[in-house]
Amino acid sequence: MFPSQSATTDDSSPVPPLRRRRWLRWAIAALAGVFLYILFLPSPPIANSVLSTTTDDNGNVVTTGDVSSTGGPVAHAVAIKSNVSTFTTSSTARSGGAMWPKATLAIFCESDHMLMQRIGLALFDGLKEANQFDKVHYVPRGKSLPAGEEVPDVLVTIEMPSLKETGIQPIVSYDARFTAIVGRHLLRSNSYSSSNGDPPIVQYQAEMTLEYKADQRGVETSGARYSSVSTDVAKHLQKHLLDFLEKADGEPQPARDVLRDFYPAFKPAPRLAALDTLKATPKFEGPRFMLATDAAWRLETHAGPEEIQQLFEKDLPEPGWKLKGYDPNAATFSGSWINGEELWTIIPVKDNGVVNAEEPRAVDQPASPKSYVLTYMHKMSRQAVATAFRDLLDRQPTEGALLLFRDSWHDERARLTQHFADHPPRSAATLEVLARWKLNGGDQEGARELVLRAWAIDRLVSNGQNKSALEKLAKDCGIEQLPKEFDVAIFAELGLPDFRSGGEMSLTASAGDDLLILLAGDKDMFRMLVLKVRRSANGQWLLGHEVSEIRQGSSSRGSSGPMPIDPTKPNSQWIGHWSANVSVTPFATDNPETLGLRLGRSPQ
């Protein structure tokens, strides 16, 4: 017999070298493909629509709008070293008593380059986190704010005139220029001068330029592309923007409800055929303080000035519409058509260049089109303003609210005279008007008395803003030289709280009030405290202060705020400027529209 035999398979036998090499190549190719996909293909997050902050029922700030997902992993290990030079040019125009609203802000990005889209999103996130605005919007290129919504107070246009990006990861260098234009409007026009019917608001424009050079070391995935550089640029833009707005100085803005009659119902802008012909892109269209409509478009066109004029004058014919500020010899069109309360304005955009996503223009292509901003405003009529002012007087407003509409005082002289007899004025500007009325009425002695009060308030509180007007009025009243010394009795006649003896004092204030308090005073020195009570659009109380001290031949001034305060959780502020040594503690009153303030002489 033969021994039994069985066949066995040895699974541990080696893979043939050819199969092993093929499998290894496949694995390497797959890993390389994944690596290249992660590094180059997924797009980083950008805004696909307008982004806006809003407050939910619990008081939390949330963002509405669509931000794209990356479609891949987001990771970066990067160090960036930047060198930034910044300079700002600005201009302002104001009449006495003008406000500088800055509660809401919108960012308009005018480049679709990926870096700019990332910067715009980073700037939006930074301003949202800064918590200095009641609402923030971000408008990508080609998008517009929803029609009919109130236009934000501050408009910021960001662009990238130049960019040179060199190197590949892990070493990349950037040499770029960024600009931010900040203003009440997208651009200020030089072709239209203000009139008495314009809103009492400071008109301004600031152009900030960042010369940016940076070296980036490290690796970032495609889904995180430009994360470090965009955050760095946005940080610099935000700092200079907030610094500029912090220094913006205007009259306090009364509560919205106080001025409700000065917010007219929205009226859509006329749909001109020229808008379609020039392919104008809307940016915003909505109501504003004393404006039924404030609208703006951006347009780019090869049309010359004469052609633009002809296009618009088909829609805006004479004799109703009048063209102002147009120079037929200029290379670009600039001008305004005015008809009553309606105003169309075309403003050329300064050609700084702009870097977009498309390829650079070939040498043999035609010159780039000219860029313009087109605006439309529909103001309240004089009659509507007069009616709104009479209704405002019926509600016993603060002196600050009345000062905004000094152009309307003359028609209500009798009522205002009685109002200020019942509520003694504490503003140098008001006292100046009342003194002039008395002088024109033949009461020279009464006018002199008011001029001296105004002079004291102007030096102590207003930092000499009315100096020239008061000096001229004083001479008309027979006062050759206004005094360098003050009599304490002047402040008693004004009904100012006297806190020279210390102790405790409780005051009540409304939003927009400036409370003047006498802290010290004799023939050689005066010290005055001004508590500035404000309220944001979402109802948050804010308190700032200023301490002024005047001695013969010199003056000193210190200020702080405004800072958020909560009357339901009293927390005192200690004011120590120029030995003021006053504690201020907020408290709730029976009226939700007023704020209680308790003054003391020691920290609490």
Side-chain angles (χ1 to χ4, degrees):
M1 295 183 62
F2 294 100
S4 62
Q5 296 181 0
S6 62
T8 61
T9 302
D10 186 359
D11 291 335
S12 62
S13 60
V15 176
L18 185 59
R19 266 174 65 191
R20 187 167 63 246
R21 287 196 298 271
R22 186 181 300 123
W23 179 88
L24 187 59
R25 285 198 299 269
W26 289 344
I28 293 173
L31 287 173
V34 171
F35 177 77
L36 291 173
Y37 171 80
I38 291 173
L39 204 58
F40 296 108
L41 291 183
S43 297
I46 59 172
N48 290 329
S49 68
V50 173
L51 304 181
S52 300
T53 61
T54 187
T55 305
D56 63 18
D57 295 337
N58 298 320
N60 300 314
V61 177
V62 295
T63 299
T64 61
D66 178 30
V67 177
S68 66
S69 59
T70 63
V74 176
H76 61 103
V78 167
I80 191 164
K81 183 178 181 180
S82 59
N83 182 13
V84 181
S85 300
T86 308
F87 55 92
T88 301
T89 58
S90 63
S91 61
T92 60
R94 71 175 78 201
S95 57
M99 301 182 294
W100 196 318
K102 43 188 175 179
T104 56
L105 177 145
I107 307 159
F108 296 87
C109 181
E110 290 303 325
S111 169
D112 60 5
H113 191 282
M114 180 62 72
L115 174 55
M116 280 304 294
Q117 293 185 75
R118 298 283 280 156
I119 290 171
L121 184 57
L123 182 58
F124 170 79
D125 288 337
L127 291 173
K128 178 178 66 174
E129 294 300 322
N131 198 30
Q132 295 194 23
F133 303 95
D134 296 329
K135 184 170 283 191
V136 179
H137 306 272
Y138 171 58
V139 185
R141 189 185 188 209
K143 305 295 183 182
S144 65
L145 290 170
E149 288 192 4
E150 188 169 323
V151 179
D153 297 328
V154 182
L155 307 178
V156 183
T157 302
I158 57 173
E159 294 184 340
M160 182 170 62
S162 64
L163 170 66
K164 185 179 181 181
E165 181 179 353
T166 57
I168 59 174
Q169 298 193 71
I171 302 175
V172 181
S173 297
Y174 300 94
D175 187 347
R177 178 183 298 120
F178 304 96
T179 61
I181 296 177
V182 186
R184 176 78 177 168
H185 305 284
L186 290 183
L187 282 177
R188 277 188 66 200
S189 170
N190 296 321
S191 64
Y192 170 69
S193 58
S194 61
S195 65
N196 289 340
D198 287 342
I201 289 178
V202 177
Q203 302 298 323
Y204 66 98
Q205 181 173 300
E207 182 171 350
M208 304 170 186
T209 302
L210 266 66
E211 299 288 351
Y212 184 85
K213 295 183 179 181
D215 292 320
Q216 179 175 298
R217 300 290 186 270
V219 176
E220 56 188 9
T221 64
S222 184
R225 189 182 182 194
Y226 293 132
S227 290
S228 297
V229 66
S230 64
T231 301
D232 191 40
V233 172
K235 177 187 69 177
H236 289 286
L237 286 173
Q238 177 175 321
K239 179 184 183 302
H240 290 284
L241 171 63
L242 294 181
D243 285 349
F244 172 77
L245 292 176
E246 184 180 3
K247 297 172 185 175
D249 183 28
E251 295 298 320
Q253 189 168 359
R256 172 73 175 246
D257 185 61
V258 173
L259 302 179
R260 60 180 179 269
D261 296 315
F262 294 91
Y263 286 87
F266 171 58
K267 296 179 180 178
R271 299 307 180 217
L272 305 186
L275 298 179
D276 295 328
T277 303
L278 294 171
K279 296 181 173 58
T281 302
K283 306 309 294 182
F284 58 81
E285 179 183 358
R288 238 176 178 182
F289 177 63
M290 294 184 70
L291 295 173
T293 318
D294 192 359
W297 297 259
R298 290 276 299 221
L299 61 92
E300 295 183 350
T301 179
H302 291 284
E306 185 177 350
E307 184 179 352
I308 292 175
Q309 178 188 4
Q310 292 172 354
L311 278 172
F312 276 90
E313 289 189 342
K314 289 179 181 178
D315 298 314
L316 307 173
E318 291 187 315
W321 290 93
K322 302 294 185 184
L323 177 59
K324 306 287 186 181
Y326 171 55
D327 180 1
N329 298 316
T332 55
F333 184 92
S334 178
S336 298
W337 285 272
I338 305 172
N339 184 7
E341 288 77 43
E342 295 182 89
L343 171 71
W344 287 91
T345 301
I346 301 179
I347 312 162
V349 177
K350 186 167 65 174
D351 186 12
N352 290 323
V354 61
V355 178
N356 281 315
E358 62 265 15
E359 292 297 320
R361 180 172 55 87
V363 175
D364 58 348
Q365 284 185 332
S368 298
K370 300 291 185 182
S371 295
Y372 293 90
V373 167
L374 169 67
T375 67
Y376 170 78
M377 289 193 298
H378 192 151
K379 300 185 296 183
M380 291 176 68
S381 67
R382 288 180 180 272
Q383 183 58 44
V385 172
T387 301
F389 184 71
R390 286 194 295 270
D391 293 340
L392 176 65
L393 270 174
D394 291 339
R395 296 195 292 275
Q396 298 296 306
T398 64
E399 184 179 353
L402 290 173
L403 276 169
L404 294 173
F405 305 99
R406 270 182 288 180
D407 291 338
S408 300
W409 281 21
H410 183 75
D411 294 334
E412 300 295 330
R413 179 170 172 173
R415 290 187 66 188
L416 285 165
T417 300
Q418 184 59 51
H419 175 87
F420 288 122
D422 298 335
H423 306 84
R426 298 176 181 178
S427 161
T430 300
L431 290 165
E432 178 201 341
V433 174
L434 297 179
R436 198 171 297 281
W437 285 355
K438 281 188 176 292
L439 182 64
N440 293 340
D443 185 359
Q444 188 177 52
E445 188 58 36
R448 288 166 58 94
E449 181 182 330
L450 293 178
V451 167
L452 292 174
R453 291 185 192 178
W455 177 246
I457 291 294
D458 189 55
R459 286 197 63 196
L460 272 169
V461 180
S462 303
N463 202 22
Q465 291 180 6
N466 303 278
K467 182 175 182 290
S468 298
L470 289 173
E471 287 176 337
K472 182 178 185 305
L473 182 56
K475 292 187 181 298
D476 294 340
C477 294
I479 303 174
E480 289 300 321
Q481 183 69 45
L482 285 164
K484 295 182 178 179
E485 300 177 356
F486 302 129
D487 187 343
V488 175
I490 288 180
F491 301 102
E493 292 167 358
L494 289 170
L496 300 184
D498 189 340
F499 202 51
R500 287 178 293 169
S501 58
E504 282 196 356
M505 175 184 292
S506 294
L507 303 171
T508 302
S510 300
D513 282 350
D514 286 348
L515 302 180
L516 279 62
I517 302 156
L518 183 61
L519 298 181
D522 55 37
K523 64 184 183 65
D524 296 319
M525 183 272 291
F526 278 86
R527 186 179 299 127
M528 183 76 71
L529 170 65
V530 183
L531 295 177
K532 301 183 176 185
V533 181
R534 306 291 183 261
R535 203 169 193 180
S536 66
N538 61 11
Q540 172 71 61
W541 287 102
L542 306 168
L543 181 65
H545 70 263
E546 182 173 285
V547 178
S548 301
E549 181 176 292
I550 291 185
R551 298 177 181 271
Q552 286 191 358
S554 66
S555 63
S556 304
R557 199 174 302 270
S559 62
S560 180
M563 300 291 290
I565 56 172
D566 186 348
T568 65
K569 301 174 182 178
N571 186 18
S572 65
Q573 292 186 16
W574 177 249
I575 301 174
H577 297 295
W578 314 118
S579 302
N581 299 333
V582 175
S583 65
V584 182
T585 306
F587 63 89
T589 68
D590 294 335
N591 183 355
E593 298 302 317
T594 63
L595 174 70
L597 297 170
R598 186 174 295 110
L599 277 62
R601 279 296 191 180
S602 59
Q604 299 178 20

